[in-house]
Amino acid sequence: FLNVYVGGKVEQPGQITINSGSSLNEALLLGGGKKILSGGVIFTRYNSDGSLERRNIRYRRSANPGSYNNPYLENGDIIFVGKSSLNYATEILNEITQPFSSAVTAYGTYKIISD
């Protein structure tokens, strides 16, 4: 068995235990799958010589196991599913509108109490 970490925009992030010889796609499935509107996948591996391997994976369910976009996993690998550009745009809009939203809510509460 192998222990790998699946994080980011997946249904059940965290460490998972999988069979030896499993691929990235299998680990994502065990993590509950990618969430809707998720972004790209970043695959990180610490090699035995101390070097770091990092890949931006173009996720496809049909990718062949062992291919560049669906590598076989090793103990300690990290799979991170990023945000989509729509997620970033939404966060920016929330940051901009948050102060106004709070002011409108406070004013509404005041009007209810004062009436």
Side-chain angles (χ1 to χ4, degrees), residues 29-80:
L29 285 174
L30 286 173
K34 291 176 60 176
K35 288 186 176 182
I36 296 173
L37 300 177
S38 60
V41 177
I42 300 171
F43 169 73
T44 306
R45 174 179 288 161
Y46 291 96
N47 295 314
S48 58
D49 64 359
S51 64
L52 179 70
E53 179 182 349
R54 186 176 175 155
R55 298 183 198 176
N56 288 320
I57 301 287
R58 192 164 188 167
Y59 175 76
R60 288 197 172 89
R61 286 186 198 186
S62 61
N64 292 327
S67 66
Y68 183 84
N69 287 320
N70 188 17
Y72 290 118
L73 299 175
E74 295 180 6
N75 200 43
D77 285 348
I78 301 168
I79 303 164
F80 182 82

Side-chain angles (χ1 to χ4, degrees), residues 6-26:
V6 178
K9 301 286 284 182
V10 292
E11 295 296 331
Q12 300 167 356
Q15 182 174 317
I16 59 172
T17 303
I18 58 174
N19 291 327
S20 296
S22 295
S23 67
L24 180 137
N25 285 2
E26 292 168 301

Side-chain angles (χ1 to χ4, degrees), residues 103-115:
V104 169
T105 302
Y107 178 73
T109 304
Y110 169 75
K111 286 297 284 178
I112 291 171
I113 293 171
S114 65
D115 289 342

